[in-house]
PDB file of all heavy atoms in Angstrom:
ATOM      1  N   LYS A   1      45.809  40.100  11.781  1.00 66.00           N
ATOM      2  CA  LYS A   1      44.597  39.195  11.415  1.00 66.00           C
ATOM      3  C   LYS A   1      44.134  39.547   9.952  1.00 66.00           C
ATOM      4  O   LYS A   1      43.499  38.746   9.317  1.00 66.00           O
ATOM      5  CB  LYS A   1      43.492  39.399  12.425  1.00 66.00           C
ATOM      6  CG  LYS A   1      43.823  38.747  13.745  1.00 66.00           C
ATOM      7  CD  LYS A   1      42.704  38.960  14.777  1.00 66.00           C
ATOM      8  CE  LYS A   1      42.992  38.319  16.059  1.00 66.00           C
ATOM      9  NZ  LYS A   1      41.879  38.439  17.046  1.00 66.00           N
ATOM     10  N   ALA A   2      44.486  40.763   9.608  1.00 61.00           N
ATOM     11  CA  ALA A   2      43.993  41.171   8.223  1.00 61.00           C
ATOM     12  C   ALA A   2      44.498  40.283   7.113  1.00 61.00           C
ATOM     13  O   ALA A   2      43.968  40.203   6.036  1.00 61.00           O
ATOM     14  CB  ALA A   2      44.388  42.638   7.975  1.00 61.00           C
ATOM     15  N   SER A   3      45.687  39.637   7.342  1.00 81.00           N
ATOM     16  CA  SER A   3      46.340  38.884   6.300  1.00 81.00           C
ATOM     17  C   SER A   3      46.040  37.307   6.521  1.00 81.00           C
ATOM     18  O   SER A   3      46.517  36.508   5.813  1.00 81.00           O
ATOM     19  CB  SER A   3      47.858  39.013   6.373  1.00 81.00           C
ATOM     20  OG  SER A   3      48.384  38.595   7.643  1.00 81.00           O
ATOM     21  N   LEU A   4      45.029  37.012   7.354  1.00 86.00           N
ATOM     22  CA  LEU A   4      44.780  35.565   7.677  1.00 86.00           C
ATOM     23  C   LEU A   4      44.425  34.769   6.452  1.00 86.00           C
ATOM     24  O   LEU A   4      44.968  33.714   6.239  1.00 86.00           O
ATOM     25  CB  LEU A   4      43.600  35.558   8.704  1.00 86.00           C
ATOM     26  CG  LEU A   4      43.225  34.116   9.161  1.00 86.00           C
ATOM     27  CD1 LEU A   4      44.356  33.416   9.818  1.00 86.00           C
ATOM     28  CD2 LEU A   4      42.006  34.178  10.110  1.00 86.00           C
ATOM     29  N   LYS A   5      43.466  35.177   5.701  1.00 88.00           N
ATOM     30  CA  LYS A   5      42.995  34.395   4.487  1.00 88.00           C
ATOM     31  C   LYS A   5      44.221  34.222   3.485  1.00 88.00           C
ATOM     32  O   LYS A   5      44.437  33.158   2.956  1.00 88.00           O
ATOM     33  CB  LYS A   5      41.822  35.203   3.751  1.00 88.00           C
ATOM     34  CG  LYS A   5      41.352  34.270   2.593  1.00 88.00           C
ATOM     35  CD  LYS A   5      40.176  35.077   1.903  1.00 88.00           C
ATOM     36  CE  LYS A   5      39.578  34.121   0.835  1.00 88.00           C
ATOM     37  NZ  LYS A   5      40.553  33.641  -0.111  1.00 88.00           N
ATOM     38  N   LYS A   6      45.024  35.344   3.295  1.00 90.00           N
ATOM     39  CA  LYS A   6      46.110  35.296   2.386  1.00 90.00           C
ATOM     40  C   LYS A   6      47.145  34.281   2.912  1.00 90.00           C
ATOM     41  O   LYS A   6      47.694  33.542   2.178  1.00 90.00           O
ATOM     42  CB  LYS A   6      46.730  36.715   2.351  1.00 90.00           C
ATOM     43  CG  LYS A   6      47.949  36.708   1.412  1.00 90.00           C
ATOM     44  CD  LYS A   6      48.529  38.136   1.336  1.00 90.00           C
ATOM     45  CE  LYS A   6      49.761  38.164   0.404  1.00 90.00           C
ATOM     46  NZ  LYS A   6      50.356  39.611   0.406  1.00 90.00           N
ATOM     47  N   ASP A   7      47.409  34.267   4.244  1.00 91.00           N
ATOM     48  CA  ASP A   7      48.335  33.332   4.842  1.00 91.00           C
ATOM     49  C   ASP A   7      47.837  31.932   4.715  1.00 91.00           C
ATOM     50  O   ASP A   7      48.661  30.991   4.440  1.00 91.00           O
ATOM     51  CB  ASP A   7      48.621  33.727   6.280  1.00 91.00           C
ATOM     52  CG  ASP A   7      49.239  35.048   6.453  1.00 91.00           C
ATOM     53  OD1 ASP A   7      49.882  35.539   5.462  1.00 91.00           O
ATOM     54  OD2 ASP A   7      49.240  35.666   7.526  1.00 91.00           O
ATOM     55  N   LEU A   8      46.513  31.694   4.958  1.00 94.00           N
ATOM     56  CA  LEU A   8      45.959  30.396   4.742  1.00 94.00           C
ATOM     57  C   LEU A   8      46.178  29.906   3.359  1.00 94.00           C
ATOM     58  O   LEU A   8      46.572  28.668   3.077  1.00 94.00           O
ATOM     59  CB  LEU A   8      44.521  30.295   5.164  1.00 94.00           C
ATOM     60  CG  LEU A   8      44.261  30.374   6.686  1.00 94.00           C
ATOM     61  CD1 LEU A   8      42.732  30.632   6.888  1.00 94.00           C
ATOM     62  CD2 LEU A   8      44.652  29.100   7.321  1.00 94.00           C
ATOM     63  N   ASP A   9      45.960  30.778   2.399  1.00 93.00           N
ATOM     64  CA  ASP A   9      46.070  30.406   1.047  1.00 93.00           C
ATOM     65  C   ASP A   9      47.554  30.041   0.664  1.00 93.00           C
ATOM     66  O   ASP A   9      47.834  29.058  -0.147  1.00 93.00           O
ATOM     67  CB  ASP A   9      45.622  31.503   0.124  1.00 93.00           C
ATOM     68  CG  ASP A   9      44.076  31.704   0.121  1.00 93.00           C
ATOM     69  OD1 ASP A   9      43.387  30.749   0.489  1.00 93.00           O
ATOM     70  OD2 ASP A   9      43.594  32.770  -0.278  1.00 93.00           O
ATOM     71  N   MET A  10      48.468  30.727   1.329  1.00 94.00           N
ATOM     72  CA  MET A  10      49.894  30.470   1.163  1.00 94.00           C
ATOM     73  C   MET A  10      50.187  29.036   1.620  1.00 94.00           C
ATOM     74  O   MET A  10      50.884  28.290   0.889  1.00 94.00           O
ATOM     75  CB  MET A  10      50.692  31.468   1.916  1.00 94.00           C
ATOM     76  CG  MET A  10      52.198  31.150   1.898  1.00 94.00           C
ATOM     77  SD  MET A  10      53.161  32.049   3.152  1.00 94.00           S
ATOM     78  CE  MET A  10      52.555  31.343   4.670  1.00 94.00           C
ATOM     79  N   VAL A  11      49.701  28.762   2.817  1.00 95.00           N
ATOM     80  CA  VAL A  11      49.978  27.404   3.374  1.00 95.00           C
ATOM     81  C   VAL A  11      49.348  26.339   2.504  1.00 95.00           C
ATOM     82  O   VAL A  11      49.942  25.294   2.230  1.00 95.00           O
ATOM     83  CB  VAL A  11      49.422  27.242   4.745  1.00 95.00           C
ATOM     84  CG1 VAL A  11      49.571  25.840   5.319  1.00 95.00           C
ATOM     85  CG2 VAL A  11      50.325  28.211   5.768  1.00 95.00           C
ATOM     86  N   TYR A  12      48.073  26.602   2.067  1.00 96.00           N
ATOM     87  CA  TYR A  12      47.435  25.544   1.176  1.00 96.00           C
ATOM     88  C   TYR A  12      48.169  25.394  -0.163  1.00 96.00           C
ATOM     89  O   TYR A  12      48.032  24.330  -0.722  1.00 96.00           O
ATOM     90  CB  TYR A  12      45.970  25.951   1.007  1.00 96.00           C
ATOM     91  CG  TYR A  12      45.189  25.803   2.307  1.00 96.00           C
ATOM     92  CD1 TYR A  12      44.130  26.738   2.501  1.00 96.00           C
ATOM     93  CD2 TYR A  12      45.419  24.865   3.209  1.00 96.00           C
ATOM     94  CE1 TYR A  12      43.363  26.669   3.612  1.00 96.00           C
ATOM     95  CE2 TYR A  12      44.620  24.736   4.406  1.00 96.00           C
ATOM     96  CZ  TYR A  12      43.534  25.668   4.594  1.00 96.00           C
ATOM     97  OH  TYR A  12      42.869  25.475   5.699  1.00 96.00           O
ATOM     98  N   ASP A  13      48.820  26.426  -0.658  1.00 95.00           N
ATOM     99  CA  ASP A  13      49.578  26.329  -1.832  1.00 95.00           C
ATOM    100  C   ASP A  13      50.768  25.401  -1.679  1.00 95.00           C
ATOM    101  O   ASP A  13      51.136  24.579  -2.548  1.00 95.00           O
ATOM    102  CB  ASP A  13      50.057  27.721  -2.276  1.00 95.00           C
ATOM    103  CG  ASP A  13      50.835  27.689  -3.540  1.00 95.00           C
ATOM    104  OD1 ASP A  13      50.296  27.110  -4.557  1.00 95.00           O
ATOM    105  OD2 ASP A  13      51.926  28.196  -3.649  1.00 95.00           O
ATOM    106  N   TYR A  14      51.428  25.421  -0.490  1.00 95.00           N
ATOM    107  CA  TYR A  14      52.540  24.586  -0.195  1.00 95.00           C
ATOM    108  C   TYR A  14      52.107  23.212   0.150  1.00 95.00           C
ATOM    109  O   TYR A  14      52.803  22.297  -0.261  1.00 95.00           O
ATOM    110  CB  TYR A  14      53.378  25.166   0.994  1.00 95.00           C
ATOM    111  CG  TYR A  14      54.295  26.318   0.608  1.00 95.00           C
ATOM    112  CD1 TYR A  14      53.950  27.614   1.215  1.00 95.00           C
ATOM    113  CD2 TYR A  14      55.365  26.191  -0.195  1.00 95.00           C
ATOM    114  CE1 TYR A  14      54.796  28.758   0.806  1.00 95.00           C
ATOM    115  CE2 TYR A  14      56.164  27.301  -0.578  1.00 95.00           C
ATOM    116  CZ  TYR A  14      55.852  28.542  -0.028  1.00 95.00           C
ATOM    117  OH  TYR A  14      56.640  29.497  -0.370  1.00 95.00           O
ATOM    118  N   PHE A  15      50.962  23.002   0.823  1.00 95.00           N
ATOM    119  CA  PHE A  15      50.430  21.767   1.194  1.00 95.00           C
ATOM    120  C   PHE A  15      49.042  21.576   0.734  1.00 95.00           C
ATOM    121  O   PHE A  15      48.058  21.753   1.608  1.00 95.00           O
ATOM    122  CB  PHE A  15      50.507  21.676   2.659  1.00 95.00           C
ATOM    123  CG  PHE A  15      51.881  21.771   3.359  1.00 95.00           C
ATOM    124  CD1 PHE A  15      52.218  22.942   4.033  1.00 95.00           C
ATOM    125  CD2 PHE A  15      52.795  20.775   3.194  1.00 95.00           C
ATOM    126  CE1 PHE A  15      53.485  23.078   4.624  1.00 95.00           C
ATOM    127  CE2 PHE A  15      54.058  20.883   3.817  1.00 95.00           C
ATOM    128  CZ  PHE A  15      54.437  21.975   4.448  1.00 95.00           C
ATOM    129  N   PRO A  16      48.772  21.319  -0.544  1.00 94.00           N
ATOM    130  CA  PRO A  16      47.380  21.182  -0.974  1.00 94.00           C
ATOM    131  C   PRO A  16      46.520  20.129  -0.230  1.00 94.00           C
ATOM    132  O   PRO A  16      45.334  20.282  -0.178  1.00 94.00           O
ATOM    133  CB  PRO A  16      47.664  20.719  -2.450  1.00 94.00           C
ATOM    134  CG  PRO A  16      49.024  21.266  -2.799  1.00 94.00           C
ATOM    135  CD  PRO A  16      49.834  21.105  -1.553  1.00 94.00           C
ATOM    136  N   ARG A  17      47.313  19.173   0.282  1.00 93.00           N
ATOM    137  CA  ARG A  17      46.563  18.103   1.034  1.00 93.00           C
ATOM    138  C   ARG A  17      45.869  18.629   2.229  1.00 93.00           C
ATOM    139  O   ARG A  17      44.764  18.164   2.629  1.00 93.00           O
ATOM    140  CB  ARG A  17      47.578  17.002   1.425  1.00 93.00           C
ATOM    141  CG  ARG A  17      46.929  15.613   1.817  1.00 93.00           C
ATOM    142  CD  ARG A  17      47.929  14.567   2.100  1.00 93.00           C
ATOM    143  NE  ARG A  17      48.957  14.478   1.133  1.00 93.00           N
ATOM    144  CZ  ARG A  17      49.948  13.647   1.193  1.00 93.00           C
ATOM    145  NH1 ARG A  17      50.012  12.733   2.162  1.00 93.00           N
ATOM    146  NH2 ARG A  17      50.889  13.622   0.291  1.00 93.00           N
ATOM    147  N   LEU A  18      46.461  19.753   2.901  1.00 94.00           N
ATOM    148  CA  LEU A  18      45.857  20.300   4.068  1.00 94.00           C
ATOM    149  C   LEU A  18      44.577  21.081   3.750  1.00 94.00           C
ATOM    150  O   LEU A  18      43.712  21.108   4.523  1.00 94.00           O
ATOM    151  CB  LEU A  18      46.854  21.255   4.731  1.00 94.00           C
ATOM    152  CG  LEU A  18      48.093  20.653   5.304  1.00 94.00           C
ATOM    153  CD1 LEU A  18      48.928  21.694   6.134  1.00 94.00           C
ATOM    154  CD2 LEU A  18      47.722  19.502   6.360  1.00 94.00           C
ATOM    155  N   LYS A  19      44.551  21.613   2.465  1.00 94.00           N
ATOM    156  CA  LYS A  19      43.300  22.275   1.994  1.00 94.00           C
ATOM    157  C   LYS A  19      42.137  21.306   1.927  1.00 94.00           C
ATOM    158  O   LYS A  19      41.052  21.669   2.430  1.00 94.00           O
ATOM    159  CB  LYS A  19      43.484  22.978   0.695  1.00 94.00           C
ATOM    160  CG  LYS A  19      42.386  23.841   0.252  1.00 94.00           C
ATOM    161  CD  LYS A  19      42.684  24.617  -1.044  1.00 94.00           C
ATOM    162  CE  LYS A  19      41.423  25.547  -1.377  1.00 94.00           C
ATOM    163  NZ  LYS A  19      41.799  26.367  -2.608  1.00 94.00           N
ATOM    164  N   ASN A  20      42.401  20.154   1.476  1.00 94.00           N
ATOM    165  CA  ASN A  20      41.350  19.150   1.442  1.00 94.00           C
ATOM    166  C   ASN A  20      40.912  18.578   2.778  1.00 94.00           C
ATOM    167  O   ASN A  20      39.823  18.167   2.948  1.00 94.00           O
ATOM    168  CB  ASN A  20      41.803  17.967   0.534  1.00 94.00           C
ATOM    169  CG  ASN A  20      42.115  18.351  -0.946  1.00 94.00           C
ATOM    170  OD1 ASN A  20      41.461  19.281  -1.408  1.00 94.00           O
ATOM    171  ND2 ASN A  20      43.038  17.666  -1.630  1.00 94.00           N
ATOM    172  N   LEU A  21      41.848  18.833   3.750  1.00 94.00           N
ATOM    173  CA  LEU A  21      41.544  18.259   5.076  1.00 94.00           C
ATOM    174  C   LEU A  21      41.240  19.387   6.049  1.00 94.00           C
ATOM    175  O   LEU A  21      41.349  19.150   7.360  1.00 94.00           O
ATOM    176  CB  LEU A  21      42.809  17.535   5.536  1.00 94.00           C
ATOM    177  CG  LEU A  21      43.101  16.237   4.800  1.00 94.00           C
ATOM    178  CD1 LEU A  21      44.518  15.745   5.211  1.00 94.00           C
ATOM    179  CD2 LEU A  21      42.109  15.133   5.189  1.00 94.00           C
ATOM    180  N   ARG A  22      41.003  20.626   5.539  1.00 92.00           N
ATOM    181  CA  ARG A  22      40.915  21.774   6.498  1.00 92.00           C
ATOM    182  C   ARG A  22      39.891  21.681   7.564  1.00 92.00           C
ATOM    183  O   ARG A  22      40.013  22.214   8.658  1.00 92.00           O
ATOM    184  CB  ARG A  22      40.778  23.020   5.714  1.00 92.00           C
ATOM    185  CG  ARG A  22      39.464  23.168   4.896  1.00 92.00           C
ATOM    186  CD  ARG A  22      39.437  24.391   4.014  1.00 92.00           C
ATOM    187  NE  ARG A  22      38.215  24.463   3.171  1.00 92.00           N
ATOM    188  CZ  ARG A  22      38.117  23.933   2.000  1.00 92.00           C
ATOM    189  NH1 ARG A  22      39.152  23.227   1.500  1.00 92.00           N
ATOM    190  NH2 ARG A  22      36.991  24.143   1.301  1.00 92.00           N
ATOM    191  N   ASN A  23      38.906  20.862   7.350  1.00 95.00           N
ATOM    192  CA  ASN A  23      37.814  20.696   8.299  1.00 95.00           C
ATOM    193  C   ASN A  23      37.907  19.397   9.093  1.00 95.00           C
ATOM    194  O   ASN A  23      37.118  19.063   9.948  1.00 95.00           O
ATOM    195  CB  ASN A  23      36.435  20.735   7.708  1.00 95.00           C
ATOM    196  CG  ASN A  23      36.118  22.174   7.151  1.00 95.00           C
ATOM    197  OD1 ASN A  23      36.437  23.101   7.718  1.00 95.00           O
ATOM    198  ND2 ASN A  23      35.553  22.137   5.899  1.00 95.00           N
ATOM    199  N   ALA A  24      38.991  18.636   8.910  1.00 94.00           N
ATOM    200  CA  ALA A  24      39.203  17.391   9.592  1.00 94.00           C
ATOM    201  C   ALA A  24      39.806  17.639  10.991  1.00 94.00           C
ATOM    202  O   ALA A  24      40.575  18.622  11.119  1.00 94.00           O
ATOM    203  CB  ALA A  24      40.185  16.518   8.787  1.00 94.00           C
ATOM    204  N   THR A  25      39.517  16.746  11.886  1.00 95.00           N
ATOM    205  CA  THR A  25      40.112  16.842  13.198  1.00 95.00           C
ATOM    206  C   THR A  25      41.579  16.435  13.141  1.00 95.00           C
ATOM    207  O   THR A  25      41.844  15.380  12.691  1.00 95.00           O
ATOM    208  CB  THR A  25      39.264  15.898  14.172  1.00 95.00           C
ATOM    209  OG1 THR A  25      38.015  16.278  14.175  1.00 95.00           O
ATOM    210  CG2 THR A  25      39.954  16.021  15.640  1.00 95.00           C
ATOM    211  N   SER A  26      42.389  17.279  13.702  1.00 93.00           N
ATOM    212  CA  SER A  26      43.868  17.063  13.495  1.00 93.00           C
ATOM    213  C   SER A  26      44.394  15.772  14.153  1.00 93.00           C
ATOM    214  O   SER A  26      45.323  15.201  13.553  1.00 93.00           O
ATOM    215  CB  SER A  26      44.673  18.216  14.075  1.00 93.00           C
ATOM    216  OG  SER A  26      44.223  19.484  13.521  1.00 93.00           O
ATOM    217  N   GLY A  27      43.752  15.314  15.220  1.00 91.00           N
ATOM    218  CA  GLY A  27      44.249  14.136  15.928  1.00 91.00           C
ATOM    219  C   GLY A  27      44.078  12.876  15.087  1.00 91.00           C
ATOM    220  O   GLY A  27      44.748  11.848  15.376  1.00 91.00           O
ATOM    221  N   TYR A  28      43.318  12.909  13.980  1.00 93.00           N
ATOM    222  CA  TYR A  28      43.004  11.739  13.175  1.00 93.00           C
ATOM    223  C   TYR A  28      43.872  11.762  11.881  1.00 93.00           C
ATOM    224  O   TYR A  28      43.693  10.899  11.014  1.00 93.00           O
ATOM    225  CB  TYR A  28      41.482  11.605  12.886  1.00 93.00           C
ATOM    226  CG  TYR A  28      40.683  11.429  14.072  1.00 93.00           C
ATOM    227  CD1 TYR A  28      39.903  12.351  14.628  1.00 93.00           C
ATOM    228  CD2 TYR A  28      40.674  10.079  14.608  1.00 93.00           C
ATOM    229  CE1 TYR A  28      39.050  12.117  15.726  1.00 93.00           C
ATOM    230  CE2 TYR A  28      39.871   9.857  15.810  1.00 93.00           C
ATOM    231  CZ  TYR A  28      39.165  10.814  16.309  1.00 93.00           C
ATOM    232  OH  TYR A  28      38.314  10.634  17.432  1.00 93.00           O
ATOM    233  N   LEU A  29      44.726  12.706  11.734  1.00 93.00           N
ATOM    234  CA  LEU A  29      45.604  12.767  10.574  1.00 93.00           C
ATOM    235  C   LEU A  29      46.666  11.779  10.608  1.00 93.00           C
ATOM    236  O   LEU A  29      47.014  11.269  11.679  1.00 93.00           O
ATOM    237  CB  LEU A  29      46.216  14.178  10.359  1.00 93.00           C
ATOM    238  CG  LEU A  29      45.234  15.439  10.279  1.00 93.00           C
ATOM    239  CD1 LEU A  29      46.001  16.722  10.016  1.00 93.00           C
ATOM    240  CD2 LEU A  29      44.234  15.186   9.079  1.00 93.00           C
ATOM    241  N   SER A  30      47.206  11.351   9.476  1.00 92.00           N
ATOM    242  CA  SER A  30      48.396  10.525   9.434  1.00 92.00           C
ATOM    243  C   SER A  30      49.605  11.273   9.909  1.00 92.00           C
ATOM    244  O   SER A  30      49.649  12.466  10.062  1.00 92.00           O
ATOM    245  CB  SER A  30      48.659   9.968   8.054  1.00 92.00           C
ATOM    246  OG  SER A  30      48.978  11.055   7.178  1.00 92.00           O
ATOM    247  N   GLY A  31      50.650  10.542  10.147  1.00 90.00           N
ATOM    248  CA  GLY A  31      51.911  11.229  10.720  1.00 90.00           C
ATOM    249  C   GLY A  31      52.429  12.107   9.682  1.00 90.00           C
ATOM    250  O   GLY A  31      52.838  13.252   9.992  1.00 90.00           O
ATOM    251  N   GLY A  32      52.388  11.819   8.395  1.00 90.00           N
ATOM    252  CA  GLY A  32      52.871  12.762   7.376  1.00 90.00           C
ATOM    253  C   GLY A  32      52.050  14.016   7.220  1.00 90.00           C
ATOM    254  O   GLY A  32      52.574  15.138   7.127  1.00 90.00           O
ATOM    255  N   GLU A  33      50.713  13.800   7.346  1.00 93.00           N
ATOM    256  CA  GLU A  33      49.803  14.993   7.310  1.00 93.00           C
ATOM    257  C   GLU A  33      49.963  15.813   8.539  1.00 93.00           C
ATOM    258  O   GLU A  33      49.906  17.119   8.457  1.00 93.00           O
ATOM    259  CB  GLU A  33      48.420  14.407   7.213  1.00 93.00           C
ATOM    260  CG  GLU A  33      48.048  13.861   5.874  1.00 93.00           C
ATOM    261  CD  GLU A  33      46.735  13.008   5.865  1.00 93.00           C
ATOM    262  OE1 GLU A  33      46.273  12.684   7.039  1.00 93.00           O
ATOM    263  OE2 GLU A  33      46.324  12.549   4.815  1.00 93.00           O
ATOM    264  N   GLN A  34      50.210  15.285   9.724  1.00 93.00           N
ATOM    265  CA  GLN A  34      50.453  16.050  10.916  1.00 93.00           C
ATOM    266  C   GLN A  34      51.835  16.824  10.803  1.00 93.00           C
ATOM    267  O   GLN A  34      51.862  17.972  11.182  1.00 93.00           O
ATOM    268  CB  GLN A  34      50.488  15.166  12.185  1.00 93.00           C
ATOM    269  CG  GLN A  34      49.112  14.669  12.540  1.00 93.00           C
ATOM    270  CD  GLN A  34      49.134  13.898  13.777  1.00 93.00           C
ATOM    271  OE1 GLN A  34      50.137  13.694  14.520  1.00 93.00           O
ATOM    272  NE2 GLN A  34      47.916  13.441  14.295  1.00 93.00           N
ATOM    273  N   GLN A  35      52.826  16.261  10.125  1.00 93.00           N
ATOM    274  CA  GLN A  35      54.072  16.970   9.991  1.00 93.00           C
ATOM    275  C   GLN A  35      53.853  18.194   9.030  1.00 93.00           C
ATOM    276  O   GLN A  35      54.407  19.172   9.231  1.00 93.00           O
ATOM    277  CB  GLN A  35      55.118  16.007   9.337  1.00 93.00           C
ATOM    278  CG  GLN A  35      56.468  16.640   9.145  1.00 93.00           C
ATOM    279  CD  GLN A  35      57.068  17.083  10.524  1.00 93.00           C
ATOM    280  OE1 GLN A  35      57.034  16.320  11.515  1.00 93.00           O
ATOM    281  NE2 GLN A  35      57.560  18.264  10.555  1.00 93.00           N
ATOM    282  N   MET A  36      53.007  17.997   8.041  1.00 93.00           N
ATOM    283  CA  MET A  36      52.676  19.088   7.113  1.00 93.00           C
ATOM    284  C   MET A  36      51.972  20.175   7.868  1.00 93.00           C
ATOM    285  O   MET A  36      52.241  21.362   7.650  1.00 93.00           O
ATOM    286  CB  MET A  36      51.905  18.611   5.965  1.00 93.00           C
ATOM    287  CG  MET A  36      52.566  17.705   4.990  1.00 93.00           C
ATOM    288  SD  MET A  36      51.435  17.118   3.628  1.00 93.00           S
ATOM    289  CE  MET A  36      52.549  16.048   2.734  1.00 93.00           C
ATOM    290  N   LEU A  37      51.158  19.728   8.821  1.00 95.00           N
ATOM    291  CA  LEU A  37      50.298  20.679   9.528  1.00 95.00           C
ATOM    292  C   LEU A  37      51.181  21.528  10.458  1.00 95.00           C
ATOM    293  O   LEU A  37      51.045  22.823  10.531  1.00 95.00           O
ATOM    294  CB  LEU A  37      49.190  20.036  10.372  1.00 95.00           C
ATOM    295  CG  LEU A  37      48.326  20.870  11.280  1.00 95.00           C
ATOM    296  CD1 LEU A  37      47.740  21.983  10.504  1.00 95.00           C
ATOM    297  CD2 LEU A  37      47.325  20.038  11.911  1.00 95.00           C
ATOM    298  N   VAL A  38      52.123  20.929  11.197  1.00 94.00           N
ATOM    299  CA  VAL A  38      52.921  21.736  12.058  1.00 94.00           C
ATOM    300  C   VAL A  38      53.879  22.681  11.386  1.00 94.00           C
ATOM    301  O   VAL A  38      54.162  23.728  11.848  1.00 94.00           O
ATOM    302  CB  VAL A  38      53.654  20.841  13.117  1.00 94.00           C
ATOM    303  CG1 VAL A  38      52.719  20.121  14.016  1.00 94.00           C
ATOM    304  CG2 VAL A  38      54.571  19.866  12.355  1.00 94.00           C
ATOM    305  N   MET A  39      54.306  22.246  10.195  1.00 95.00           N
ATOM    306  CA  MET A  39      55.091  23.108   9.384  1.00 95.00           C
ATOM    307  C   MET A  39      54.321  24.261   8.864  1.00 95.00           C
ATOM    308  O   MET A  39      54.765  25.385   8.748  1.00 95.00           O
ATOM    309  CB  MET A  39      55.742  22.366   8.219  1.00 95.00           C
ATOM    310  CG  MET A  39      56.861  21.315   8.732  1.00 95.00           C
ATOM    311  SD  MET A  39      57.613  20.287   7.424  1.00 95.00           S
ATOM    312  CE  MET A  39      58.273  21.527   6.337  1.00 95.00           C
ATOM    313  N   GLY A  40      53.145  23.940   8.427  1.00 95.00           N
ATOM    314  CA  GLY A  40      52.277  25.021   7.938  1.00 95.00           C
ATOM    315  C   GLY A  40      51.812  25.981   8.988  1.00 95.00           C
ATOM    316  O   GLY A  40      51.729  27.174   8.696  1.00 95.00           O
ATOM    317  N   ARG A  41      51.691  25.492  10.213  1.00 94.00           N
ATOM    318  CA  ARG A  41      51.334  26.313  11.238  1.00 94.00           C
ATOM    319  C   ARG A  41      52.402  27.368  11.520  1.00 94.00           C
ATOM    320  O   ARG A  41      52.195  28.506  11.866  1.00 94.00           O
ATOM    321  CB  ARG A  41      51.066  25.461  12.512  1.00 94.00           C
ATOM    322  CG  ARG A  41      50.438  26.227  13.723  1.00 94.00           C
ATOM    323  CD  ARG A  41      49.943  25.306  14.745  1.00 94.00           C
ATOM    324  NE  ARG A  41      51.079  24.534  15.292  1.00 94.00           N
ATOM    325  CZ  ARG A  41      50.955  23.418  16.085  1.00 94.00           C
ATOM    326  NH1 ARG A  41      49.703  22.979  16.339  1.00 94.00           N
ATOM    327  NH2 ARG A  41      51.955  22.730  16.488  1.00 94.00           N
ATOM    328  N   ALA A  42      53.691  26.835  11.403  1.00 94.00           N
ATOM    329  CA  ALA A  42      54.841  27.668  11.680  1.00 94.00           C
ATOM    330  C   ALA A  42      54.902  28.699  10.557  1.00 94.00           C
ATOM    331  O   ALA A  42      55.300  29.939  10.770  1.00 94.00           O
ATOM    332  CB  ALA A  42      56.110  26.922  11.708  1.00 94.00           C
ATOM    333  N   MET A  43      54.598  28.246   9.243  1.00 94.00           N
ATOM    334  CA  MET A  43      54.648  29.217   8.131  1.00 94.00           C
ATOM    335  C   MET A  43      53.725  30.379   8.334  1.00 94.00           C
ATOM    336  O   MET A  43      53.866  31.539   7.835  1.00 94.00           O
ATOM    337  CB  MET A  43      54.278  28.519   6.853  1.00 94.00           C
ATOM    338  CG  MET A  43      55.361  27.526   6.351  1.00 94.00           C
ATOM    339  SD  MET A  43      54.717  26.606   4.892  1.00 94.00           S
ATOM    340  CE  MET A  43      56.126  25.597   4.585  1.00 94.00           C
TER     341      MET A  43
END
């Protein structure tokens, strides 16, 4: 857990769109945004 912020920053660097949507409810994202999210979650 100590690396949580660093890991989030890493994902947001790969997917800047997710950073802008970080407080959005995931179920309302577009298909492309959801694909970015599941890949970022794996990262």
